[in-house]
Amino acid sequence: MQGYCESLDQIANLEFKRAGTRQGGTALRYRAARAAQGDEALCGRVARALGEALAPGGGSVVLVTGTGNPAWLPHGETDGPSGVAVLARTFGALGLRSCVLAEDIYADAVGRSLLAAGAPLLDEAGWSERGNAALLLGYPAGAAAGHAFAESFFDRHADARAVIFVEKPGPNARGVFHNSSGKPKDPDLVAHAQLLAAAARRRGIVTVGVGDGGNEIGFGRAAAALGAHAPYGSGCGCPCGGGILDATEVDHLLPASVSNWGAYAIAAALCLHAGRHDAMPGWREVEASIAAPIAAGAYDGYTGLALPSVDGVSPEANRAVYSLMLEVLRMARTQA
Ligand SMILES: [Zn+2]
């Protein structure tokens, strides 16, 4: 399994960045994260931890996503929702419910992605009776509301066994949120989902971060090693001066070239871990899950276009990446 997970990590970290200032950052972030976590394939590490957390009788998995900005990406972007949707489908195939959290302004886009991938969205009563369904809840924006939400969440969802953050902005060590190019975000407009990570850790619930810029929840796991090396790592250019690196502590971090790809890699590693090599959705559903948020006003986060590219990477390349991951599963299936 280790060798297959090495392949999945590498596929998720194939870098396609147009701007020279961004080139090379993917490898830096991956190497730092790997060095901070026992120098093993990171998607395999995550799948093992999730497998252990979920083995005693199921429960639910919490998936958190949603990012954008009020001016150009008012309803979010194409990176994040599809990753969550593929994870929800894969967990569903393994008999596990997903509870998906996003700010209200992104929730429609995320919900459309889940449905397009084939994940059934139910209300809470129906969801709790089904082993493969998804529940979509709003995560309130702002620090005070986020605090109240996070403090009571696991009382209301006592069956939660793990929390996975996909492309979810987190604050730096000075408490300031940034986008990946160093601009600060208004703290009253973002979900303070880092508080949910802290609440989960206090209860011994496994926490996982997937990100592609360094500013997403999870990079606190590798911030010390990344520091001055990462793009905007030590200086963001905004008055806080603290750099963009998220400071949220999580149990496991998987950096990727595109956050969706990191989520796909974790889904594939879960399939390997469970011996269920056919449990990931097919490309047609994944393709639909990338495109569906556009109908709710989401755009490609890099180009700003209302097209089903992700971080500037074409649909054809996304298909190639996903196909390579399915090829790893095919190898594993036919090995015996
Ligand atoms: Zn700053």
Side-chain angles (χ1 to χ4, degrees):
M1 169 151 172
Q2 191 66 19
Y4 296 129
C5 291
E6 294 284 1
S7 298
L8 293 170
D9 269 24
Q10 289 178 29
I11 296 163
N13 278 275
L14 286 170
E15 186 179 80
F16 302 96
K17 305 281 189 207
R18 192 171 285 118
T21 52
R22 292 179 182 274
Q23 290 170 356
T26 304
L28 274 176
R29 287 184 287 271
Y30 178 75
R31 281 201 298 268
R34 187 173 170 125
Q37 299 177 91
D39 192 23
E40 63 172 314
L42 297 177
C43 68
R45 177 186 156 93
V46 171
R48 191 173 65 236
L50 291 172
E52 288 168 5
L54 298 165
S60 68
V61 181
V62 182
L63 305 172
V64 191
T65 192
T67 188
N69 72 62
W72 317 307
L73 299 167
H75 297 292
E77 54 164 278
T78 53
D79 196 17
S82 173
V84 161
V86 168
L87 282 170
R89 273 299 308 281
T90 305
F91 282 123
L94 302 176
L96 295 158
R97 291 187 299 278
S98 296
C99 177
V100 181
L101 305 178
E103 290 95 326
D104 287 340
I105 51 173
Y106 307 134
D108 187 22
V110 174
R112 286 174 192 249
S113 184
L114 285 159
L115 289 170
L121 276 179
L122 297 176
D123 64 17
E124 193 144 358
W127 171 76
S128 63
E129 294 174 11
R130 298 289 290 175
N132 65 354
L135 172 70
L136 178 61
L137 298 176
Y139 197 116
H147 181 78
F149 181 88
E151 286 302 307
S152 62
F153 181 83
F154 295 108
D155 294 331
R156 287 176 281 123
H157 296 272
D159 70 342
R161 299 284 177 269
V163 186
I164 307 178
F165 300 88
V166 180
E167 183 73 3
K168 192 67 193 160
N172 68 9
R174 298 178 185 179
V176 179
F177 291 83
H178 297 81
N179 68 19
S180 62
S181 53
K183 302 283 186 302
K185 288 172 175 280
D186 184 337
D188 291 332
L189 298 182
V190 298
H192 289 241
Q194 77 280 6
L195 301 172
L196 191 71
R201 282 169 61 85
R202 283 200 302 276
R203 293 177 183 237
I205 295 168
V206 174
T207 51
V208 178
V210 178
D212 59 19
N215 57 319
E216 301 93 353
I217 289 180
F219 276 92
R221 193 74 179 75
L226 266 172
H229 306 297
Y232 305 104
S234 57
C236 37
C238 97
C240 90
I244 68 163
L245 292 176
D246 159 78
T248 308
E249 285 290 334
V250 297
D251 299 309
H252 307 282
L253 163 66
L254 174 60
S257 176
V258 173
S259 294
N260 279 347
W261 302 354
Y264 302 163
I266 289 173
L270 281 165
C271 292
L272 288 171
H273 192 269
R276 289 285 309 280
H277 303 114
D278 58 350
M280 282 180 80
W283 169 249
R284 287 175 67 162
E285 291 127 273
V286 179
E287 180 179 38
S289 75
I290 294 169
I294 295 168
Y299 307 132
D300 181 306
Y302 277 36
T303 66
L305 297 174
L307 291 172
S309 52
V310 185
D311 290 354
V313 181
S314 70
E316 293 76 14
N318 278 279
R319 179 180 192 162
V321 162
Y322 195 78
S323 299
L324 290 172
M325 291 188 185
L326 294 184
E327 181 70 6
V328 173
L329 292 179
R330 191 186 69 80
M331 291 278 170
R333 182 172 66 238
T334 56
Q335 179 192 36

